[in-house]
Amino acid sequence: KYGLQPDILTFGCLALCCRPSLKLGMNLLRDMKAVGAKPNVEIMGALIKGATFTQNLYTVQVYLETMEKEGITADPYILNLVENSYQKYRKLMKAKEDGKISKLPYAMEQDYKRNWTTFRAFTAFYKDWLQRVKFDSNQDPMKQFKSDKDIQREEAANTVEKRVNRNIDTEDNFLEGEDQDLEKNIEGRRKEKHRTH
């Protein structure tokens, strides 16, 4: 109606609201694709943070797998989120087993009833994931705000800039040649003047 399109900032804000639900997070990622937007490390970080807040290792694993499929490189922030959540899960698990606590977050309570099957599956996945995945500690923080169109414009601008620089170099070479011809002509006229005098 108003001709407005959601951008990466819109989706970033929405990602912060997906905390309680994997379904909401996956719907957000689908909606992004539908409008031609790609998830980035910041959006995935917001989704993973929500999952770690509720101690839902299954959801964390789904998001990490999604990052791999999308070619999104994990940064130190995501690594810290996942590692801290994993260690907290282990401590809570041990406290529950030792009888030191009676209540767990909902996702953990469900896992406890299933004899920690989610934890075991995540542990196997996480060890393998750490071996497979490369981490990027030098990402351009402004890249998150660029849409596919922005990237295409930058690539087009770089192509034009290269072409212009090539033309300038060619023109400079041409002008350099003309300058040399002009200097020869001037020198030739001087010599003629000296001869005639």
Side-chain angles (χ1 to χ4, degrees):
K1 178 178 174 178
Y2 297 105
L4 300 173
Q5 280 284 87
D7 61 10
I8 202 71
L9 291 173
T10 309
F11 290 114
C13 292
L14 291 171
L16 294 171
C17 301
C18 294
R19 181 181 298 192
S21 166
L22 174 61
K23 183 179 177 182
L24 289 174
M26 296 311 284
N27 285 343
L28 174 70
L29 296 174
R30 263 192 301 279
D31 291 345
M32 288 182 72
K33 281 188 179 183
V35 297
K38 280 184 70 174
N40 60 22
V41 71
E42 283 76 16
I43 287 173
M44 296 309 298
L47 293 173
I48 289 170
K49 184 175 183 176
T52 61
F53 182 79
T54 59
Q55 292 300 313
N56 192 327
L57 291 181
Y58 173 76
T59 302
V60 172
Q61 181 173 337
V62 170
Y63 289 146
L64 293 175
E65 289 169 344
T66 300
M67 285 180 67
E68 278 190 272
K69 288 176 196 164
E70 294 291 330
I72 300 168
T73 306
D75 63 3
Y77 175 74
I78 288 177
L79 180 61
N80 285 333
L81 278 175
V82 175
E83 182 61 27
N84 289 340
S85 178
Y86 181 69
Q87 294 304 327
K88 183 177 179 182
Y89 201 102
R90 288 180 58 184
K91 285 177 186 173
L92 289 171
M93 207 170 103
K94 184 169 177 10
K96 178 74 172 177
E97 292 292 329
D98 292 345
K100 293 180 180 174
I101 58 172
S102 60
K103 204 166 190 179
L104 291 169
Y106 179 77
M108 284 190 75
E109 195 65 51
Q110 297 307 306
D111 196 24
Y112 172 71
K113 290 175 184 175
R114 291 188 306 267
N115 199 25
W116 307 114
T117 55
T118 301
F119 177 78
R120 287 191 183 102
F122 182 81
T123 299
F125 164 81
Y126 185 50
K127 286 179 182 176
D128 188 43
W129 181 80
L130 286 170
Q131 297 297 316
R132 270 193 328 266
V133 175
K134 294 178 182 159
F135 300 97
D136 186 1
S137 59
N138 297 322
Q139 284 193 346
D140 172 12
M142 295 309 290
K143 188 176 180 184
Q144 65 176 308
F145 302 112
K146 296 177 184 172
S147 66
D148 287 342
K149 285 183 182 180
D150 292 332
I151 293 168
Q152 288 170 353
R153 281 188 208 123
E154 280 182 6
E155 289 171 356
N158 288 339
T159 302
V160 169
E161 184 179 346
K162 286 177 187 174
R163 197 175 316 134
V164 167
N165 287 337
R166 232 184 355 252
N167 289 343
I168 289 171
D169 289 344
T170 304
E171 194 172 300
D172 284 347
N173 291 338
F174 174 75
L175 291 174
E176 194 175 291
E178 281 199 345
D179 286 346
Q180 288 173 354
D181 290 343
L182 184 61
E183 283 181 31
K184 285 180 188 175
N185 287 342
I186 292 171
E187 188 63 33
R189 281 192 224 141
R190 277 192 198 143
K191 287 181 182 177
E192 274 185 47
K193 265 188 177 179
H194 285 299
R195 280 188 217 154
T196 54
H197 288 302

